[in-house]
Amino acid sequence: DKSGGKIVLPSDEAERFLLDYRSLFPEIPERNQRVARQADETRILFNFFGEPYYISQYQPTESNYKEYYAWTPQSTVGEITNRAFASMQNFIEDENLDWDVLLNGHDSIVSQCPIEDAIECGKKQKEFIELPFVSPIDGAAFNMKSETKAGFNWAPYKEKVNELGLKDIRV
């Protein structure tokens, strides 16, 4: 029903899949229960930077709960990118580089630089976006991972179609 007919599974198979998934990743339903409880009790959620989301028009519906479950990771990723973007711009200005930060794409940064600086530019972006975190739930340390691409336009490289497009680079 939820996929609008794009995915067709018998109910028993779908239930088995959910049980398997939830048994493999029990932290996900546990987290969702914590988020729902916090939304119900306080009407405030927090991202990993401690920034609040005030739920002003609270309605306990399945759709709203999905929004609440997604808010913390989406907000955290957006804030990581905002901070990395600002750090990259400050670095460029402080070092007087011929680089430009062009786009904050919510979970990505696009910059331009002379071709001979592409590796160094990619390394700096990676450094700024891969911030260390400690989980407020279990104290586990982690970093958001990233990848770096370089090219002469923003579309992906495709042989005989976009030979100057973005290719993965190791930094």
Side-chain angles (χ1 to χ4, degrees):
D1 286 345
K2 291 180 185 176
S3 72
K6 292 178 185 172
I7 300 172
V8 179
L9 290 174
S11 291
D12 60 332
E13 191 175 341
E15 287 178 33
R16 185 184 54 75
F17 172 78
L18 281 175
L19 286 172
D20 288 348
Y21 179 79
R22 290 174 179 152
S23 70
L24 289 171
F25 303 102
E27 64 274 13
I28 294 173
E30 290 168 7
R31 178 196 173 273
N32 289 351
Q33 290 167 2
R34 275 195 315 275
V35 169
R37 205 169 34 255
Q38 186 174 356
D40 291 342
E41 293 172 5
T42 68
R43 310 286 197 279
I44 303 172
L45 303 175
F46 296 91
N47 68 15
F48 279 11
F49 291 95
E51 296 165 343
Y53 171 55
Y54 298 98
I55 305 168
S56 59
Q57 295 185 346
Y58 178 74
Q59 293 183 339
T61 65
E62 183 179 352
S63 175
N64 287 344
Y65 281 122
K66 287 180 179 178
E67 178 184 325
Y68 305 151
Y69 304 151
W71 183 82
T72 297
Q74 287 181 349
S75 173
T76 300
V77 168
E79 187 60 28
I80 288 169
T81 309
N82 287 339
R83 290 175 183 217
F85 188 93
S87 294
M88 187 69 175
Q89 182 63 41
N90 290 336
F91 176 77
I92 291 167
E93 291 174 12
D94 291 348
E95 298 298 316
N96 197 30
L97 296 169
D98 190 21
W99 301 358
D100 300 291
V101 189
L102 301 176
L103 175 72
N104 173 341
H106 173 72
D107 62 356
S108 62
I109 298 171
V110 176
S111 298
Q112 68 180 7
C113 65
I115 193 166
E116 63 270 12
D117 294 345
I119 300 295
E120 184 183 352
C121 183
K123 282 181 183 177
K124 288 314 282 187
Q125 282 190 176
K126 193 170 184 68
E127 174 188 323
F128 293 135
I129 210 161
E130 291 188 356
L131 298 178
F133 282 97
V134 175
S135 168
I137 306 304
D138 62 5
F142 65 97
N143 294 62
M144 184 173 93
K145 294 298 180 189
S146 67
E147 58 188 32
T148 302
K149 297 176 186 262
F152 291 91
N153 60 61
W154 294 6
Y157 168 85
K158 201 167 205 175
E159 191 174 355
K160 297 181 182 170
V161 175
N162 187 17
E163 301 272 342
L164 298 177
L166 295 172
K167 288 184 177 181
D168 290 328
I169 60 170
R170 289 188 169 254
V171 295

